[in-house]
Amino acid sequence: MTKLFLSVLFLIIWAIIVLNKSNGTPAERRINIVGYLCWGASAILLLMSVVITVPAGHVKVATLFGKVQDNNYREGLHIVNPLLAFTAFDLRQKTHMETAGIPAEDKLITKTDVSVQYRTVGEMAPDILRNTGTTEALIQVHMIPKLRSILREQGKGVAVSQDFFKEAVQRQLQETLQLGLAEFLAPKGLQIETILIRDVQLPEVIRTAITETKKREQEVLKQQAELERFATEQDQKVKQAESELKAAKLEAQKIKELADAEAYKINVINKTLAQSPNYIELKRVEQWNGVLPVYAGGENIPMIDLRKTGKN
């Protein structure tokens, strides 16, 4: 509409100049040049007002003096009524990210981050413009309240907040959101493609309890490791003591066997002595070192040193 208004304005200026056309003075010729320029600008603006382009992945909906036209304009070049105004809708895939609190049956609130992937239905763009306005308004008015409502309803079937970490609960939550949002938003112009649960944040009281539980488990594991280390050391000591005891027994057995052998030897010698009195004399001879004894007689018997007599 702005382009059309400017085009008409330039045409009016050109018409005024033409009606007062004069080729006299240089000033009048300059005025004529301005008139031609206004005519050219008017023609360009008029051409631009009757031609529109729609980018890829978009549609445009026309309104004429506030009334929404039922047909829409797909991507490409179009020649249109210059009196029309246009609103563009992006039909490409978009993602809406929402964080909502889900109350479980234990009355605790679990925060859940959900991603909703959607597309705007191009054929319904005129209805969206007529009933809601834009795709962004449609999300704020319809998608977000319905999403939060479904999440709250799903929390009623969860006994405790910790269950939101279970795969089965998350899968059921995604399927319910997918079905519920698709059925609710399809008549309104949004096509729901995928629901993704990005993150689940348990209530603070549960997170604190889990942290404390983990700390206690770590302490228990640490104590178990210490007990195992102590038991290993004691087992090593027992094995060492058993080894030393075995060595001592072997040594005692050795001493005992040597003592038995010696006792047996003595016993044999005693038996031999009992059977042969000359054995003692034999042992004396074996132990003699070659030194002759010195004998002392009675009162008149001199002491004789046999070694000295041997030298004479």
Side-chain angles (χ1 to χ4, degrees), residues 181-310:
L181 286 178
E183 291 180 352
F184 180 74
L185 295 175
K188 302 183 184 306
L190 281 185
Q191 176 184 342
I192 303 300
E193 297 190 344
T194 307
I195 303 293
L196 301 174
I197 295 179
R198 303 193 319 273
D199 188 24
V200 175
Q201 297 181 9
L202 293 176
E204 182 66 26
V205 61
I206 295 181
R207 294 203 301 269
T208 303
I210 292 175
T211 302
E212 294 298 327
T213 302
K214 291 297 182 182
K215 287 182 179 180
R216 289 193 294 269
E217 290 177 354
Q218 292 296 325
E219 289 295 329
V220 171
L221 291 176
K222 181 179 179 181
Q223 293 175 2
Q224 289 179 350
E226 185 66 22
L227 289 175
E228 291 177 358
R229 184 189 64 81
F230 178 76
T232 301
E233 291 180 353
Q234 295 304 311
D235 185 58
Q236 291 176 350
K237 290 181 180 180
V238 170
K239 290 181 178 179
Q240 183 179 358
E242 290 177 350
S243 178
E244 292 176 353
L245 178 61
K246 185 177 180 180
K249 288 181 179 180
L250 291 175
E251 184 66 23
Q253 183 68 24
K254 176 182 177 182
I255 295 173
K256 181 178 180 300
E257 291 179 356
L258 291 175
D260 291 343
E262 186 67 23
Y264 176 75
K265 179 180 179 181
I266 294 172
N267 187 33
V268 172
I269 293 174
N270 289 335
K271 288 182 179 180
T272 303
L273 290 176
Q275 296 175 0
S276 178
N278 295 327
Y279 179 75
I280 297 177
E281 294 299 330
L282 176 62
K283 297 301 291 182
R284 289 177 178 176
V285 171
E286 290 177 353
Q287 295 179 358
W288 182 52
N289 57 5
V291 179
L292 295 176
V294 178
Y295 292 95
E299 295 179 355
N300 299 320
I301 299 175
M303 298 178 63
I304 302 174
D305 190 350
L306 296 178
R307 291 175 294 178
K308 292 181 180 181
T309 59

Side-chain angles (χ1 to χ4, degrees), residues 142-151 177 180-181 184-185:
H142 297 293
M143 179 191 288
I144 294 178
K146 185 62 176 180
L147 174 62
R148 294 178 178 177
S149 175
I150 295 175
L151 288 173
L177 285 172
L181 286 178
F184 180 74
L185 295 175

Side-chain angles (χ1 to χ4, degrees), residues 132-143:
T132 310
T134 61
T135 301
E136 291 73 17
L138 182 60
I139 292 172
Q140 294 294 326
V141 174
H142 297 293
M143 179 191 288

